[in-house]
Amino acid sequence: RMEDLQAHLDGLRSGLSVSREALTHDPVTGLGNHAALLGRLKIFFQAEAANSTSALLMFRVEQLKEFAETHPAGAAEKTLKRLAAIFRRSVKKEDFVARTGPDVFCLLLSNVSREIAVTIARRIAARVAEKPFPFMDRELPAGFLTLTSGVSMTDAAKTPVALYEQADQALAYAAESGIALRIYSAEVAERAGARGYRGI
């Protein structure tokens, strides 16, 4: 009976682990999902915000949604996995990478300045734009997929949700104004109708 009970407990633990994994990870890329990112942001604001400045980079992969809607699921999934690999290789080990939407990836970069965050965002965008994405018997040519990005900094946000919303607002501004990258600023805040911009 003790062995049966132990086996039952082990099974429950395994099931809980699988459930936790499903709740916090994107099933296609294996990256953290939106819930996992907010959890990581919450930990940062509790433990590190007073001592260092971090950046949240939010990327929308242009043309990816249209590609996914007009090609078999396997092709879109392979492309997403290759994109995830580019993001993973572009950051430090302690940084956090997540896929928070069908065509949206986020990077939480620890202990970086605005200048460094922008440089990293532009470097990643260049890598995606110059890379062909092979699938099945053909490939997406270099330049088919491009990135639009919004950047927010923890020194201008009071909460994890505010930081996420600021990056989202900067991304929306970049997309609407037709530029590749926008960092959260008083201008972005005013356009979004946000109050209390905490610029440094």
Side-chain angles (χ1 to χ4, degrees):
R1 286 186 176 182
M2 288 298 293
E3 290 178 355
D4 290 343
L5 180 59
Q6 184 62 50
H8 180 64
L9 289 173
D10 290 343
L12 288 175
R13 288 193 190 97
S14 177
L16 286 172
S17 178
V18 170
S19 297
R20 191 179 298 112
E21 180 82 7
L23 288 172
T24 59
H25 286 78
D26 170 47
V28 176
T29 64
L31 299 175
N33 60 13
H34 184 263
L37 175 63
L38 289 182
R40 178 62 71 94
L41 289 175
K42 183 177 180 181
I43 292 171
F44 172 83
F45 273 84
Q46 290 174 341
E48 301 178 44
N51 302 316
S52 65
T53 301
S54 292
L56 180 62
L57 280 54
M58 185 178 293
F59 297 92
R60 177 176 294 114
V61 187
E62 305 299 342
Q63 306 301 326
L64 181 61
K65 186 176 180 181
E66 293 82 353
F67 173 73
E69 290 173 349
T70 56
H71 290 77
E77 289 185 1
K78 286 182 180 179
T79 300
L80 283 165
K81 289 176 181 177
R82 291 187 174 100
L83 285 165
I86 291 174
F87 285 114
R88 280 197 193 101
R89 291 195 298 265
S90 300
V91 298
K92 304 187 299 291
K93 185 177 180 181
E94 61 268 26
D95 295 330
F96 188 74
V97 185
R99 180 184 175 221
T100 59
D103 56 356
V104 178
F105 290 83
C106 289
L107 276 62
L108 178 61
L109 308 181
S110 301
N111 194 26
V112 294
S113 66
R114 282 167 171 73
E115 293 74 17
I116 292 174
V118 168
T119 297
I120 291 172
R122 287 176 174 158
R123 184 185 304 148
I124 293 172
R127 287 175 181 166
V128 170
E130 70 189 13
K131 183 176 179 62
F133 289 86
F135 72 97
M136 298 183 183
D137 58 344
R138 56 197 186 93
E139 66 180 24
L140 298 176
F144 180 83
L145 296 179
T146 59
L147 299 181
T148 300
S149 54
V151 179
S152 59
M153 304 297 299
T154 55
D155 60 9
K158 294 181 179 180
T159 66
V161 172
L163 183 72
Y164 185 90
E165 289 178 346
Q166 289 172 3
D168 188 51
Q169 291 164 12
L171 176 62
Y173 197 146
E176 290 182 12
S177 57
I179 62 173
L181 182 149
R182 175 74 70 170
I183 190 165
Y184 185 77
S185 63
E187 182 184 358
V188 175
E190 182 179 358
R191 173 197 168 278
R195 297 180 178 178
Y197 169 68
R198 297 175 59 218
I200 301 301

